[in-house]
Amino acid sequence: RMLVVNYARLANRMAPPAAMATLVLYASIQDSYAKEATSSPPVDMGKVRQAILQVVEEDAEKRGDGTSLAGTFLRLAWHCCGTYKAADGSGGSNGARMRFHPESDYGNNAGLDSARAALEPVKQKFPALSYADLYTYAGVVAVEESGGPKIEFRTGRVDMEDGSTSDPKDRLPNADYGGRTKNVAGMRAVFNRMGFDDQEIVALLGAHAMGRCHTDASGYWGPWTNAETTFSNEYFRLLLEERWSPKLTHNGKPWTGPDQFEDSTGQLMMLPVDITLVAEPAFRKWVEIYAKDEDKFFKDFAAAFAKLLSLGVPSAAVAKPWYQIW
């Protein structure tokens, strides 16, 4: 059985005195929502999975270009959780606060309104399922149905009524902190705040195997791999084997977007933080391991992603995996 950690209680032991009052208040809010979640009727998550897949498949058919919503759903789940702060237990996926200001207006969440809208028919079909569970589970389905590992997932998240408990400042990881040294420090600051170490940072960034960047959302352009609808270790292999240079042009015109890197064909891209993974020795050693051993990557990603999904979720609300609740 999976060990269920009460993150609020753990943070309570670790938090400095100045953070105690905030932590206690936030934990009490979380606990009240947890009690509400335990009284909710069970939802057949197998049917939810099929409904999510139907959304992805119907959208892919309309696109007709080989891309899909799978990578976007993975990003949605990631960003729902990436606000967590271990010091006071705030943030995380519980509450689905991305639906409200200020999280809906975070620069790093640009474009995710379309992903939330795409999942609305699923929510309407399964009204007992919280948005918070739906958004995170969509990321799990995206990984598993794209060839990735099985992700431990537990239901029980509930929806908050507004974004009053969200940090006004965007807590999510950035694509660029301003050069190698600042990128290393910035990445560690954000991920360490959530409780992740260097190995977990690299494993989680392996999610870039799927999806692409869009100029009308992040300002960046292009996919990380040639198989953006497949979850694999290709991202790490490409980081090591391709020669990455600053992007200077796009479709025959000067590139005017933010700094990014491209391969020799100009069809694949890497963000500054991606390149930092091979420039910083402490990160690079994990890139090399994952490039050679996909099974190792899958195992480590599954553990880190499951941990990410659980951040900020009261343990009382996630007592059993979804497949054991009926």
PDB file of all heavy atoms in Angstrom, residues 138-164:
ATOM      1  N   ALA A 138      -6.708  14.106 -15.995  1.00  0.00           N
ATOM      2  CA  ALA A 138      -6.500  14.249 -17.432  1.00  0.00           C
ATOM      3  C   ALA A 138      -5.017  14.137 -17.770  1.00  0.00           C
ATOM      4  O   ALA A 138      -4.648  13.580 -18.817  1.00  0.00           O
ATOM      5  CB  ALA A 138      -7.050  15.594 -17.918  1.00  0.00           C
ATOM      6  N   GLY A 139      -4.154  14.644 -16.886  1.00  0.00           N
ATOM      7  CA  GLY A 139      -2.713  14.510 -17.101  1.00  0.00           C
ATOM      8  C   GLY A 139      -2.249  13.077 -16.964  1.00  0.00           C
ATOM      9  O   GLY A 139      -1.370  12.620 -17.713  1.00  0.00           O
ATOM     10  N   VAL A 140      -2.832  12.360 -16.010  1.00  0.00           N
ATOM     11  CA  VAL A 140      -2.501  10.945 -15.831  1.00  0.00           C
ATOM     12  C   VAL A 140      -2.891  10.148 -17.067  1.00  0.00           C
ATOM     13  O   VAL A 140      -2.117   9.334 -17.581  1.00  0.00           O
ATOM     14  CB  VAL A 140      -3.233  10.380 -14.587  1.00  0.00           C
ATOM     15  CG1 VAL A 140      -3.088   8.863 -14.519  1.00  0.00           C
ATOM     16  CG2 VAL A 140      -2.697  11.019 -13.322  1.00  0.00           C
ATOM     17  N   VAL A 141      -4.099  10.385 -17.551  1.00  0.00           N
ATOM     18  CA  VAL A 141      -4.580   9.688 -18.755  1.00  0.00           C
ATOM     19  C   VAL A 141      -3.682  10.009 -19.940  1.00  0.00           C
ATOM     20  O   VAL A 141      -3.341   9.125 -20.737  1.00  0.00           O
ATOM     21  CB  VAL A 141      -6.041  10.080 -19.055  1.00  0.00           C
ATOM     22  CG1 VAL A 141      -6.484   9.490 -20.398  1.00  0.00           C
ATOM     23  CG2 VAL A 141      -6.963   9.591 -17.940  1.00  0.00           C
ATOM     24  N   ALA A 142      -3.290  11.266 -20.061  1.00  0.00           N
ATOM     25  CA  ALA A 142      -2.430  11.679 -21.175  1.00  0.00           C
ATOM     26  C   ALA A 142      -1.127  10.888 -21.182  1.00  0.00           C
ATOM     27  O   ALA A 142      -0.683  10.405 -22.225  1.00  0.00           O
ATOM     28  CB  ALA A 142      -2.142  13.175 -21.088  1.00  0.00           C
ATOM     29  N   VAL A 143      -0.503  10.744 -20.022  1.00  0.00           N
ATOM     30  CA  VAL A 143       0.760  10.010 -19.932  1.00  0.00           C
ATOM     31  C   VAL A 143       0.554   8.531 -20.227  1.00  0.00           C
ATOM     32  O   VAL A 143       1.242   7.939 -21.075  1.00  0.00           O
ATOM     33  CB  VAL A 143       1.387  10.182 -18.531  1.00  0.00           C
ATOM     34  CG1 VAL A 143       2.583   9.238 -18.360  1.00  0.00           C
ATOM     35  CG2 VAL A 143       1.833  11.616 -18.313  1.00  0.00           C
ATOM     36  N   GLU A 144      -0.400   7.925 -19.545  1.00  0.00           N
ATOM     37  CA  GLU A 144      -0.586   6.479 -19.652  1.00  0.00           C
ATOM     38  C   GLU A 144      -1.047   6.054 -21.038  1.00  0.00           C
ATOM     39  O   GLU A 144      -0.600   5.017 -21.558  1.00  0.00           O
ATOM     40  CB  GLU A 144      -1.597   6.020 -18.603  1.00  0.00           C
ATOM     41  CG  GLU A 144      -1.086   6.184 -17.173  1.00  0.00           C
ATOM     42  CD  GLU A 144      -2.077   5.704 -16.124  1.00  0.00           C
ATOM     43  OE1 GLU A 144      -3.254   5.439 -16.481  1.00  0.00           O
ATOM     44  OE2 GLU A 144      -1.691   5.599 -14.947  1.00  0.00           O
ATOM     45  N   GLU A 145      -1.926   6.832 -21.653  1.00  0.00           N
ATOM     46  CA  GLU A 145      -2.459   6.454 -22.959  1.00  0.00           C
ATOM     47  C   GLU A 145      -1.544   6.859 -24.116  1.00  0.00           C
ATOM     48  O   GLU A 145      -1.828   6.554 -25.268  1.00  0.00           O
ATOM     49  CB  GLU A 145      -3.847   7.076 -23.154  1.00  0.00           C
ATOM     50  CG  GLU A 145      -4.887   6.607 -22.147  1.00  0.00           C
ATOM     51  CD  GLU A 145      -5.219   5.128 -22.277  1.00  0.00           C
ATOM     52  OE1 GLU A 145      -5.052   4.570 -23.387  1.00  0.00           O
ATOM     53  OE2 GLU A 145      -5.648   4.522 -21.268  1.00  0.00           O
ATOM     54  N   SER A 146      -0.442   7.529 -23.798  1.00  0.00           N
ATOM     55  CA  SER A 146       0.534   7.909 -24.830  1.00  0.00           C
ATOM     56  C   SER A 146       1.783   7.050 -24.762  1.00  0.00           C
ATOM     57  O   SER A 146       2.812   7.391 -25.349  1.00  0.00           O
ATOM     58  CB  SER A 146       0.911   9.390 -24.679  1.00  0.00           C
ATOM     59  OG  SER A 146      -0.224  10.220 -24.829  1.00  0.00           O
ATOM     60  N   GLY A 147       1.681   5.934 -24.043  1.00  0.00           N
ATOM     61  CA  GLY A 147       2.808   5.013 -23.968  1.00  0.00           C
ATOM     62  C   GLY A 147       3.652   5.144 -22.727  1.00  0.00           C
ATOM     63  O   GLY A 147       4.665   4.450 -22.587  1.00  0.00           O
ATOM     64  N   GLY A 148       3.253   6.030 -21.809  1.00  0.00           N
ATOM     65  CA  GLY A 148       4.033   6.253 -20.605  1.00  0.00           C
ATOM     66  C   GLY A 148       3.712   5.283 -19.492  1.00  0.00           C
ATOM     67  O   GLY A 148       2.898   4.372 -19.654  1.00  0.00           O
ATOM     68  N   PRO A 149       4.323   5.479 -18.334  1.00  0.00           N
ATOM     69  CA  PRO A 149       4.139   4.562 -17.203  1.00  0.00           C
ATOM     70  C   PRO A 149       2.800   4.772 -16.503  1.00  0.00           C
ATOM     71  O   PRO A 149       2.142   5.808 -16.673  1.00  0.00           O
ATOM     72  CB  PRO A 149       5.291   4.939 -16.270  1.00  0.00           C
ATOM     73  CG  PRO A 149       5.467   6.415 -16.525  1.00  0.00           C
ATOM     74  CD  PRO A 149       5.264   6.567 -18.016  1.00  0.00           C
ATOM     75  N   LYS A 150       2.403   3.795 -15.706  1.00  0.00           N
ATOM     76  CA  LYS A 150       1.205   3.924 -14.888  1.00  0.00           C
ATOM     77  C   LYS A 150       1.513   4.889 -13.749  1.00  0.00           C
ATOM     78  O   LYS A 150       2.552   4.778 -13.108  1.00  0.00           O
ATOM     79  CB  LYS A 150       0.774   2.572 -14.327  1.00  0.00           C
ATOM     80  CG  LYS A 150      -0.463   2.641 -13.432  1.00  0.00           C
ATOM     81  CD  LYS A 150      -0.920   1.278 -12.990  1.00  0.00           C
ATOM     82  CE  LYS A 150      -2.099   1.387 -12.011  1.00  0.00           C
ATOM     83  NZ  LYS A 150      -3.241   2.131 -12.585  1.00  0.00           N
ATOM     84  N   ILE A 151       0.600   5.824 -13.512  1.00  0.00           N
ATOM     85  CA  ILE A 151       0.788   6.835 -12.479  1.00  0.00           C
ATOM     86  C   ILE A 151      -0.155   6.561 -11.307  1.00  0.00           C
ATOM     87  O   ILE A 151      -1.360   6.411 -11.504  1.00  0.00           O
ATOM     88  CB  ILE A 151       0.500   8.250 -13.031  1.00  0.00           C
ATOM     89  CG1 ILE A 151       1.309   8.518 -14.319  1.00  0.00           C
ATOM     90  CG2 ILE A 151       0.791   9.293 -11.963  1.00  0.00           C
ATOM     91  CD1 ILE A 151       2.793   8.507 -14.137  1.00  0.00           C
ATOM     92  N   GLU A 152       0.387   6.487 -10.112  1.00  0.00           N
ATOM     93  CA  GLU A 152      -0.452   6.350  -8.915  1.00  0.00           C
ATOM     94  C   GLU A 152      -1.305   7.610  -8.778  1.00  0.00           C
ATOM     95  O   GLU A 152      -0.787   8.727  -8.732  1.00  0.00           O
ATOM     96  CB  GLU A 152       0.427   6.187  -7.676  1.00  0.00           C
ATOM     97  CG  GLU A 152      -0.343   6.063  -6.382  1.00  0.00           C
ATOM     98  CD  GLU A 152      -0.922   4.673  -6.152  1.00  0.00           C
ATOM     99  OE1 GLU A 152      -0.405   3.721  -6.774  1.00  0.00           O
ATOM    100  OE2 GLU A 152      -1.867   4.553  -5.359  1.00  0.00           O
ATOM    101  N   PHE A 153      -2.605   7.440  -8.727  1.00  0.00           N
ATOM    102  CA  PHE A 153      -3.509   8.588  -8.654  1.00  0.00           C
ATOM    103  C   PHE A 153      -4.629   8.316  -7.673  1.00  0.00           C
ATOM    104  O   PHE A 153      -5.197   7.227  -7.669  1.00  0.00           O
ATOM    105  CB  PHE A 153      -4.097   8.899 -10.030  1.00  0.00           C
ATOM    106  CG  PHE A 153      -5.045  10.066 -10.027  1.00  0.00           C
ATOM    107  CD1 PHE A 153      -4.568  11.362 -10.046  1.00  0.00           C
ATOM    108  CD2 PHE A 153      -6.426   9.865  -9.994  1.00  0.00           C
ATOM    109  CE1 PHE A 153      -5.433  12.453 -10.036  1.00  0.00           C
ATOM    110  CE2 PHE A 153      -7.300  10.944  -9.981  1.00  0.00           C
ATOM    111  CZ  PHE A 153      -6.801  12.241  -9.998  1.00  0.00           C
ATOM    112  N   ARG A 154      -4.952   9.296  -6.869  1.00  0.00           N
ATOM    113  CA  ARG A 154      -6.013   9.171  -5.888  1.00  0.00           C
ATOM    114  C   ARG A 154      -6.998  10.323  -6.031  1.00  0.00           C
ATOM    115  O   ARG A 154      -6.590  11.476  -6.184  1.00  0.00           O
ATOM    116  CB  ARG A 154      -5.423   9.140  -4.472  1.00  0.00           C
ATOM    117  CG  ARG A 154      -4.546   7.917  -4.226  1.00  0.00           C
ATOM    118  CD  ARG A 154      -3.658   8.090  -3.005  1.00  0.00           C
ATOM    119  NE  ARG A 154      -2.798   6.910  -2.863  1.00  0.00           N
ATOM    120  CZ  ARG A 154      -2.966   5.980  -1.924  1.00  0.00           C
ATOM    121  NH1 ARG A 154      -3.940   6.079  -1.042  1.00  0.00           N
ATOM    122  NH2 ARG A 154      -2.156   4.947  -1.862  1.00  0.00           N
ATOM    123  N   THR A 155      -8.267  10.021  -5.987  1.00  0.00           N
ATOM    124  CA  THR A 155      -9.296  11.050  -6.044  1.00  0.00           C
ATOM    125  C   THR A 155      -9.525  11.630  -4.656  1.00  0.00           C
ATOM    126  O   THR A 155      -8.969  11.154  -3.677  1.00  0.00           O
ATOM    127  CB  THR A 155     -10.615  10.462  -6.569  1.00  0.00           C
ATOM    128  OG1 THR A 155     -11.003   9.374  -5.712  1.00  0.00           O
ATOM    129  CG2 THR A 155     -10.466   9.958  -7.988  1.00  0.00           C
ATOM    130  N   GLY A 156     -10.352  12.643  -4.578  1.00  0.00           N
ATOM    131  CA  GLY A 156     -10.682  13.243  -3.294  1.00  0.00           C
ATOM    132  C   GLY A 156     -10.465  14.739  -3.237  1.00  0.00           C
ATOM    133  O   GLY A 156     -10.815  15.383  -2.254  1.00  0.00           O
ATOM    134  N   ARG A 157      -9.900  15.319  -4.289  1.00  0.00           N
ATOM    135  CA  ARG A 157      -9.743  16.766  -4.334  1.00  0.00           C
ATOM    136  C   ARG A 157     -11.135  17.405  -4.465  1.00  0.00           C
ATOM    137  O   ARG A 157     -12.030  16.823  -5.061  1.00  0.00           O
ATOM    138  CB  ARG A 157      -8.875  17.173  -5.523  1.00  0.00           C
ATOM    139  CG  ARG A 157      -7.462  16.643  -5.461  1.00  0.00           C
ATOM    140  CD  ARG A 157      -6.772  16.715  -6.825  1.00  0.00           C
ATOM    141  NE  ARG A 157      -5.489  16.030  -6.806  1.00  0.00           N
ATOM    142  CZ  ARG A 157      -5.346  14.711  -6.888  1.00  0.00           C
ATOM    143  NH1 ARG A 157      -6.418  13.935  -7.008  1.00  0.00           N
ATOM    144  NH2 ARG A 157      -4.147  14.167  -6.859  1.00  0.00           N
ATOM    145  N   VAL A 158     -11.268  18.582  -3.937  1.00  0.00           N
ATOM    146  CA  VAL A 158     -12.539  19.289  -4.039  1.00  0.00           C
ATOM    147  C   VAL A 158     -12.300  20.678  -4.621  1.00  0.00           C
ATOM    148  O   VAL A 158     -11.160  21.130  -4.717  1.00  0.00           O
ATOM    149  CB  VAL A 158     -13.244  19.411  -2.670  1.00  0.00           C
ATOM    150  CG1 VAL A 158     -13.659  18.044  -2.162  1.00  0.00           C
ATOM    151  CG2 VAL A 158     -12.337  20.106  -1.656  1.00  0.00           C
ATOM    152  N   ASP A 159     -13.366  21.317  -5.020  1.00  0.00           N
ATOM    153  CA  ASP A 159     -13.266  22.616  -5.682  1.00  0.00           C
ATOM    154  C   ASP A 159     -13.550  23.758  -4.723  1.00  0.00           C
ATOM    155  O   ASP A 159     -14.544  23.732  -3.994  1.00  0.00           O
ATOM    156  CB  ASP A 159     -14.252  22.680  -6.854  1.00  0.00           C
ATOM    157  CG  ASP A 159     -13.968  21.615  -7.895  1.00  0.00           C
ATOM    158  OD1 ASP A 159     -12.786  21.254  -8.053  1.00  0.00           O
ATOM    159  OD2 ASP A 159     -14.923  21.151  -8.539  1.00  0.00           O
ATOM    160  N   MET A 160     -12.678  24.729  -4.734  1.00  0.00           N
ATOM    161  CA  MET A 160     -12.899  25.926  -3.937  1.00  0.00           C
ATOM    162  C   MET A 160     -13.742  26.917  -4.736  1.00  0.00           C
ATOM    163  O   MET A 160     -13.849  26.818  -5.963  1.00  0.00           O
ATOM    164  CB  MET A 160     -11.567  26.517  -3.493  1.00  0.00           C
ATOM    165  CG  MET A 160     -10.802  25.587  -2.561  1.00  0.00           C
ATOM    166  SD  MET A 160      -9.256  26.282  -1.941  1.00  0.00           S
ATOM    167  CE  MET A 160      -8.624  24.876  -1.006  1.00  0.00           C
ATOM    168  N   GLU A 161     -14.324  27.872  -4.049  1.00  0.00           N
ATOM    169  CA  GLU A 161     -15.276  28.777  -4.674  1.00  0.00           C
ATOM    170  C   GLU A 161     -14.635  30.000  -5.309  1.00  0.00           C
ATOM    171  O   GLU A 161     -15.285  30.727  -6.070  1.00  0.00           O
ATOM    172  CB  GLU A 161     -16.316  29.223  -3.634  1.00  0.00           C
ATOM    173  CG  GLU A 161     -17.144  28.064  -3.086  1.00  0.00           C
ATOM    174  CD  GLU A 161     -18.133  28.519  -2.032  1.00  0.00           C
ATOM    175  OE1 GLU A 161     -18.081  29.708  -1.644  1.00  0.00           O
ATOM    176  OE2 GLU A 161     -18.957  27.692  -1.608  1.00  0.00           O
ATOM    177  N   ASP A 162     -13.372  30.249  -4.996  1.00  0.00           N
ATOM    178  CA  ASP A 162     -12.693  31.412  -5.565  1.00  0.00           C
ATOM    179  C   ASP A 162     -11.194  31.230  -5.426  1.00  0.00           C
ATOM    180  O   ASP A 162     -10.728  30.190  -4.951  1.00  0.00           O
ATOM    181  CB  ASP A 162     -13.145  32.717  -4.881  1.00  0.00           C
ATOM    182  CG  ASP A 162     -12.966  32.676  -3.369  1.00  0.00           C
ATOM    183  OD1 ASP A 162     -11.907  32.194  -2.899  1.00  0.00           O
ATOM    184  OD2 ASP A 162     -13.877  33.113  -2.649  1.00  0.00           O
ATOM    185  N   GLY A 163     -10.446  32.229  -5.829  1.00  0.00           N
ATOM    186  CA  GLY A 163      -8.994  32.140  -5.772  1.00  0.00           C
ATOM    187  C   GLY A 163      -8.384  32.918  -4.624  1.00  0.00           C
ATOM    188  O   GLY A 163      -7.202  33.293  -4.687  1.00  0.00           O
ATOM    189  N   SER A 164      -9.145  33.129  -3.575  1.00  0.00           N
ATOM    190  CA  SER A 164      -8.672  33.949  -2.459  1.00  0.00           C
ATOM    191  C   SER A 164      -7.476  33.344  -1.733  1.00  0.00           C
ATOM    192  O   SER A 164      -6.729  34.061  -1.069  1.00  0.00           O
ATOM    193  CB  SER A 164      -9.811  34.208  -1.471  1.00  0.00           C
ATOM    194  OG  SER A 164     -10.326  32.988  -0.951  1.00  0.00           O
TER     195      SER A 164
END
